[in-house]
Amino acid sequence: MSEPIGFGPKTKKFLRALGRNNDKAWFDSHRREYEAYYLAPAKAFVEAVGPKLEKLSPNIVWEPRVNGSIFRVNRDIRFSKDKTPYKAYLHMLFQPRDADNAPKWFFGLEPDKLVLGAGIFGFEKGVIDRYRKRVAGPDGKALAKQLEKMRKAGIRIREPELKRVPSGFDADLPHAELLRHKGLTAWMDLPGGPAAAAKPTIVSASAAGFKTLKPLFAWLSALDDAHA
């Protein structure tokens, strides 16, 4: 008999405990909890939500393993002032096959919140050029309209990184702020927060949330189509 899909109270308890005891000795002595309450339900979730994501984005890849869809619990501390070795949260990423700078789906479970995301964190050179050309044209107006609709639904749109519109583009466009983005992502909190992650409905709730974010994912996916 298969285990039920969901992140039970012990997952939240483990994340909170890891946040309070963020050192190798504690983690090593609690590796069984990591495997049972963090890794095992994460793998089961990936297996369950993957086919639903494939219906939204047919080329999507899901891999129920660490360094696949599941982020490592270890932090990269090489260039960070914060030397705590572990992440006291669980993050996952689902991306299209053979498309490094394509939009991605994101899932994040933390002790105090449960979030979904979609988009491109940082545009590569060729992609940002195509993005700006589309934004400056008729497709930009359609994107601005869709993002406004998403904001009204409570979805957070990442703030632009640039203070000014890049040279060569019309700063008087009604949606000129979109030209100031170096990446574009949208984020939403799932109702119920972390407690919702413990319910059997977490997979369907996540799929419904991803569907809400799909317009941005689809718009950004077309950047690659334009290059084909």
Side-chain angles (χ1 to χ4, degrees), residues 25-41:
W26 184 91
F27 186 84
D28 286 346
S29 66
H30 291 79
R31 185 170 290 275
R32 286 186 179 181
E33 289 98 315
Y34 160 74
E35 293 175 350
Y37 309 133
Y38 182 107
L39 194 55

Side-chain angles (χ1 to χ4, degrees), residues 173-184:
L173 281 174
H175 51 277
E177 76 282 354
L178 291 175
L179 292 166
R180 296 191 286 117
H181 281 275
K182 296 173 70 175
L184 187 59

Side-chain angles (χ1 to χ4, degrees), residues 14 71 83 86 102 149 203 222:
F14 173 78
F71 278 56
K83 298 301 180 181
Y86 303 105
K149 181 179 179 181
V203 174

Side-chain angles (χ1 to χ4, degrees), residues 1 3 11 20 31 48 85 99 112 115 140 142 147-148 150 161 175 185 200 205 207 225 228:
M1 183 177 178
E3 293 295 322
T11 301
R20 295 192 301 268
R31 185 170 290 275
D112 299 314
V115 296
L147 293 180
E148 183 58 27
M150 294 170 77
E161 295 84 356
H175 51 277
T185 54
D225 294 341

Side-chain angles (χ1 to χ4, degrees), residues 22 29 80 84 92 160 203 205 216:
N22 203 322
S29 66
S80 175
T84 51
M92 302 181 195
V203 174
L216 175 60

Side-chain angles (χ1 to χ4, degrees), residues 11 14-23 26-27 34 38 66-67 69-77 82-92 106 109-111:
T11 301
F14 173 78
L15 292 175
R16 286 194 179 281
L18 179 58
R20 295 192 301 268
N21 305 277
N22 203 322
D23 61 72
W26 184 91
F27 186 84
Y34 160 74
Y38 182 107
V66 174
N67 285 336
S69 295
I70 305 167
F71 278 56
R72 296 174 71 240
V73 71
N74 304 76
R75 295 183 61 250
D76 184 351
I77 60 175
D82 180 1
K83 298 301 180 181
T84 51
Y86 303 105
K87 304 166 187 170
Y89 49 83
L90 171 59
H91 285 179
M92 302 181 195
F106 178 88
L109 173 61
E110 303 183 16

